[in-house]
Amino acid sequence: MRHLLATRELSYDHALAILDTAQEMATVSDRSIKKLPTLRGQTVVNLFFEDSTRTRTSFEAAAKRLSADVLNFAVKTSSVSKGESLKDTVQTLEAIGGDAIVMRHWASGAAQQLANFGWSSSAIINAGDGTHEHPTQALLDAFTLRNRLHGTQATGKDLNGVHVVIVGDILHSRVARSNVWLLHTLGAKVTLSGPPTLMPVGVNTWPVEVNYDLDGILAQHPDAVMMLRVQAERMAGAFFPSPAEYTRGWGLTNDRYQTIADTDTLIMHPGPMNRGLEISAAAADSAQNTALEQVANGVSVRMAVLYLLLAGQPGQ
């Protein structure tokens, strides 16, 4: 692996290698000294053109636990605000000594452009590009799901036969897209549900089932239900009548939660959660909710990605 740009191009073997390496990295969190010397002397640059809390701090924690130096690039106080191009910004950061660039950008395809145009010799990790992909989020979701299902025997296991339902704003969600491709690669069955106005054009060509009957899907007690945030900041028009109407049709309300409350169905959320809109407080605070596990597991997964790109290769 030279870069991590999208789960759509991630092979089965590479996906399992990342998950299995993350399994080993997770043991570092249980130590009194949460450090490995693996990336000592290397520099990881966090280049975020959009606001982020979970992803940026997770990558920073992952790099520091591997003993790498970290540069956090603040776009709003940089030369970007003066009109500097992405190419010049990246080449400046590489000249300072960046070995890996973790980039979040508002434009879909920005990470791919950076990796393919020869602007940088650094390893590029896509931390979210527009509505395109967010590969490490999908990897940490799969890692969390695999651990919940297989426990201490998770290493080497895929998600064959697991049923995952993704609900909500599919149209604007890079998390949904990355999860669809990764879950499919790992053998899971994926169902998408949400307002027809928030389903992407061409979704019929994806390896998924689209089902608008959310209550009917929940009655089947799937292995996991992933609730997505409504991304109002990416909406230029009205995609549903009102927040109350959205909640009534597509939110995991208290009544809907009762359908799966006494089952093994997991409730997942990439965060941040909008309580009372896509998820009720009862569902958010339940033992079935894996949101905080996902955050914690994100550090292990990102440690694995940084390690495999900068220090090792799958199979070594």
Side-chain angles (χ1 to χ4, degrees):
M1 291 188 348
R2 182 72 186 88
H3 309 290
L4 179 61
L5 306 175
T7 59
R8 187 168 187 170
E9 60 191 38
L10 200 61
S11 70
Y12 176 87
D13 288 340
H14 277 137
L16 269 193
I18 293 171
L19 297 181
D20 289 346
T21 304
Q23 209 76 46
E24 297 176 24
M25 295 297 179
T27 62
V28 176
S29 299
D30 299 327
R31 301 178 183 179
S32 57
I33 300 176
K34 299 176 174 60
K35 280 266 192 181
L36 293 173
T38 314
L39 298 184
R40 183 177 295 155
Q42 301 206 54
T43 301
V44 176
V45 179
N46 284 330
L47 177 58
F48 279 62
F49 289 84
E50 289 185 323
D51 293 337
S52 171
T53 300
R54 290 163 183 78
T55 304
R56 185 185 60 76
T57 55
S58 182
F59 267 111
E60 182 174 359
K64 287 181 175 179
R65 288 187 185 181
L66 292 171
S67 300
D69 296 317
V70 181
L71 296 178
N72 287 316
F73 183 81
V75 171
K76 293 177 182 177
T77 58
S78 74
S79 294
V80 172
S81 63
K82 302 174 185 176
E84 185 174 63
S85 69
L86 175 60
K87 176 181 178 180
D88 290 335
T89 297
V90 168
Q91 290 182 338
T92 298
L93 293 171
E94 189 170 37
I96 292 172
D99 297 290
I101 297 175
V102 179
M103 187 173 76
R104 170 168 290 186
H105 202 280
W106 53 265
S108 297
Q112 192 86 40
Q113 182 181 38
L114 181 57
N116 293 348
F117 281 23
W119 294 347
S120 170
S121 60
S122 301
I124 308 300
I125 302 172
N126 182 7
D129 58 332
T131 60
H132 177 226
E133 283 225 33
H134 190 353
T136 58
Q137 179 67 48
L139 285 161
L140 72 88
D141 292 339
F143 182 81
T144 302
L145 185 55
R146 192 176 77 152
N147 277 7
R148 276 288 192 114
L149 294 174
H150 299 297
T152 58
Q153 306 300 315
T155 301
K157 299 284 180 63
D158 57 23
L159 298 176
N160 188 46
V162 174
H163 184 197
V164 180
V165 179
I166 304 177
V167 184
D169 183 1
I170 310 296
L171 177 62
H172 301 101
S173 178
R174 54 195 173 208
V175 172
R177 286 170 174 78
S178 284
N179 266 292
V180 163
W181 298 111
L182 181 62
L183 290 170
H184 173 69
T185 297
L186 294 174
K189 173 188 175 183
V190 182
T191 300
L192 302 181
S193 189
T197 52
L198 290 176
M199 285 291 169
V201 173
V203 71
N204 58 304
T205 65
W206 295 7
V208 300
E209 173 189 68
V210 178
N211 191 327
Y212 298 109
D213 181 11
L214 180 56
D215 293 311
I217 299 169
L218 294 179
Q220 299 172 21
H221 301 157
D223 295 289
V225 177
M226 184 179 297
M227 306 304 298
L228 299 176
R229 179 177 67 88
V230 174
Q231 299 193 39
E233 72 275 11
R234 299 188 191 277
M235 295 181 182
F239 288 83
F240 46 85
S242 68
E245 285 293 320
Y246 180 89
T247 301
R248 239 188 317 272
W250 311 106
L252 189 56
T253 61
N254 287 335
D255 288 342
R256 287 199 177 100
Y257 169 60
Q258 291 306 313
T259 305
I260 59 173
D262 296 321
T263 71
D264 293 327
T265 298
L266 301 176
I267 300 169
M268 307 185 77
H269 199 299
M273 290 188 291
N274 290 317
R275 291 171 181 250
L277 183 57
E278 77 267 9
I279 189 168
S280 69
D285 294 331
S286 70
Q288 291 163 272
N289 188 1
T290 65
L292 291 180
E293 286 175 53
Q294 290 167 259
V295 174
N297 290 336
V299 177
S300 301
V301 166
R302 287 163 180 139
M303 287 174 70
V305 169
L306 289 169
Y307 167 75
L308 290 171
L309 289 178
L310 295 178
Q313 290 295 328
Q316 288 188 348

